[in-house]
Each structure stands twice: as C-alpha cells, then as structure tokens.
Amino acid sequence: MTNTDPGAAEYEYEWQNPNRKTFDFGRVLGRSFTGIFANIKPLLIATFIVMAITFVISLISTDMLVEIIGEGTMEEAAVNPEYWIWTMLSSLPGLFFVLWVQLIVVQTSYAEFTNTLQPNNAMQIALKYVLPMFVIAIIYTVVCVIGFYALFVGFVFAWPGWALAGPILIHEKKGVFGSIGQAWNLSKGSKRWIFLLLLILSILGGIVYSVAIGLGAVATGVNAFGGDPMAALNMSVGQQAIYNLVIGSAGYFVYALFASGLTAAYIETKIVKGTVVSVGEVFT
C-alpha cells in the first residue's frame, strides 16, 4: 500500500517497496573466501611473524610449566599462582596476534570488494587499532557469554548485532563504543543474515580445526587435544614445531575467513541502508 499524504514516504513500510535493496547473502558468503586472497602478501607475512613468535613463547612457557608441575599433577600445580601466570603469558599474546591479522584482512578485503586501492601499510594500520579492537573483543565476548547463559535471546541479538564493530573501527574510526553502537544500528534489519553467516563460518571453522588436529596427531604421533593435559607439555621441540605449524595455519585461515566475511557483510549492510549507490562507491 502506498501513502497518499503529501510529503509522506511512498510506501508505508519498506518491505512494500519492490525496488528496496536486500541483503545478498550469497554474495557475502562467497566474498568471505575471495577476500582472503585479495592481497595475500601482508596476510602471509603477518601470519609468519605471529606463528614464529608464538612458537618461541610456546617453547618458553612449556619449559616453565613442566618445571612448575615437576613430579606432581596438574591439579596440584593449579593452586600455584605461577602456573596461571605462565598460562596467561602463553595465551594472551595470541589474542593480540589474531586481532592484528584480522584487522589486516579487514583492510585488504575491503579494498577488493570496493574496487579501491590496496593499502600499502595495512600491517602498520592494523597494529594501531589492535588495542581498541582488543577492548571491543573483550566487551563483545563477555556480553555474548552472559547473553548465552543468562538469556539466550540476548546472545542471538548481541552476536550478530556487534559483529561489524571491527570493520567500522578501521574504516569509520569511531572508537570503541562508537564502533559498537554503529554496528548495532547498521545491522538492524540484517541481523538474521549476519547470524547465519557467523553460524556457517563457525561450523566451517570447527571442521577446519578438527582436520588440523587430526593431521597434527598423525604427523607427530601425539594427540595434544585427546584429554591428557600432559601430552602437549611432553612433546619434543620438533613435535611442537609441527603442531604449531598445522594448528596455527588452520587457525589463522579461520580468523581471516571471519574477518573477510564480516567486512563483506559490513559493505552489504551499507548498500542495504542506501548510504551508497554501488559497492564501488563506498566511502568515495
């Protein structure tokens, strides 16, 4: 039904407009993969750097944890503060590395999708935004976890509602809370599609991880994820190197996949909102 009142919108509801722009989920899902390879050089360089640093950290932390545990058990070591300090030191840098790699992909995939020039300093720009992205990631994770256990409906809305904060942080420079707020506003009307995208990418990521764990176990003869907490600590340097290479490569591929997919979704929501005429005119 169309409105006849002077000055009123032609259609009472947007869904009545046959010319309305819709979220092209197939395009977004396809771009989740193609965006990774748009400008793969900075991604490969960054992945090599972080995997090398992670390996060194792993060697040091493993030696320290083995020394802390000694002849005792994991349960006994768990009451030792040093155990948790070294566990945190071995894990926390990995989160910053993941965010750094993802922010690189956010830039390179964006340039590919919008037909704009690839950034020459993507790694440096990504490094600049790692800390605010870390804050966003902490808030996002806490809210999603609380929303999942306390009220599942809250999780359903928060998971897709804030998922676009990364691309917004990089391309609109709105800061931590500005990016979160803009992500919520921009995703209105498209949350179901973003939720579906995240769900599919999560399933694919789980499959990739499972295959990588299997390959790592076959290559080293050690199943570090088989339930024995000492299995990973007792691996040789060579076994750790193989495991880090296999699991790390799979992990960073999945992280890049999410970054590329959410960048594609970000651009798609901008088009749906009518803020651009075509993909090539985003922010130009």
Side-chain angles (χ1 to χ4, degrees), residues 8-280:
E10 182 179 2
Y11 295 93
E12 185 175 1
Y13 301 102
E14 179 59 25
W15 59 263
Q16 296 173 328
N17 184 357
N19 298 317
R20 73 184 188 281
K21 297 180 177 68
T22 58
F23 193 99
D24 191 337
F25 182 78
R27 176 167 60 186
V28 170
L29 184 60
R31 283 178 168 173
S32 301
F33 296 90
T34 59
I36 297 176
F37 306 100
N39 181 12
I40 200 168
K41 182 179 178 180
L43 172 60
L44 291 178
I45 294 174
T47 301
F48 175 80
I49 292 172
V50 299
M51 288 181 62
I53 297 175
T54 301
F55 177 60
V56 173
I57 293 174
S58 174
L59 291 177
I60 297 173
S61 61
T62 297
D63 288 342
M64 293 303 302
L65 288 173
V66 168
E67 183 179 329
I68 291 170
I69 295 171
E71 299 297 327
T73 64
M74 293 287 287
E75 289 75 15
E76 293 171 341
V79 299
N80 187 338
E82 290 186 33
Y83 172 84
W84 294 107
I85 291 174
W86 279 102
T87 300
M88 183 184 68
L89 290 176
S90 65
S91 304
L92 190 59
L95 178 55
F96 284 96
F97 294 153
V98 167
L99 295 175
W100 183 46
V101 168
Q102 287 188 313
L103 291 174
I104 291 171
V105 176
V106 165
Q107 297 173 75
T108 56
S109 60
Y110 172 86
E112 171 71 11
F113 302 151
T114 58
N115 297 317
T116 53
L117 292 176
Q118 286 287 344
N120 294 322
N121 54 345
M123 291 190 291
Q124 292 91 325
I125 294 175
L127 191 60
K128 175 183 175 182
Y129 287 98
V130 164
L131 189 56
M133 190 65 227
F134 174 76
V135 177
I136 290 175
I138 294 299
I139 297 173
Y140 183 57
T141 301
V142 170
V143 171
C144 284
V145 170
I146 293 176
F148 182 82
Y149 288 103
L151 186 62
F152 183 73
V153 175
F155 164 76
V156 170
F157 285 99
W159 195 32
W162 290 358
L164 304 182
I168 292 171
L169 177 69
I170 285 285
H171 297 296
E172 299 188 25
K173 301 176 176 61
K174 288 185 175 292
V176 172
F177 295 103
S179 297
I180 292 174
Q182 176 68 353
W184 181 263
N185 293 330
L186 195 59
S187 64
K188 288 180 179 178
S190 301
K191 286 186 177 66
R192 63 188 183 279
W193 297 116
I194 299 173
F195 184 92
L196 180 60
L197 175 68
L198 290 171
L199 182 62
I200 291 176
L201 295 183
S202 297
I203 294 172
L204 291 175
I207 294 173
V208 171
Y209 269 121
S210 298
V211 172
I213 291 172
L215 290 175
V218 171
T220 62
V222 178
N223 185 3
F225 298 88
D228 181 6
M230 294 301 296
L233 297 179
N234 291 329
M235 286 193 294
S236 66
V237 173
Q239 288 173 322
Q240 289 187 59
I242 294 173
Y243 241 109
N244 278 11
L245 178 62
V246 175
I247 303 299
S249 298
Y252 283 104
F253 171 78
V254 173
Y255 302 140
L257 185 65
F258 270 90
S260 179
L262 291 174
T263 301
Y266 165 66
I267 294 173
E268 196 69 25
T269 54
K270 297 288 287 186
I271 296 173
V272 171
K273 293 294 184 180
T275 55
V276 292
V277 177
S278 65
V279 176

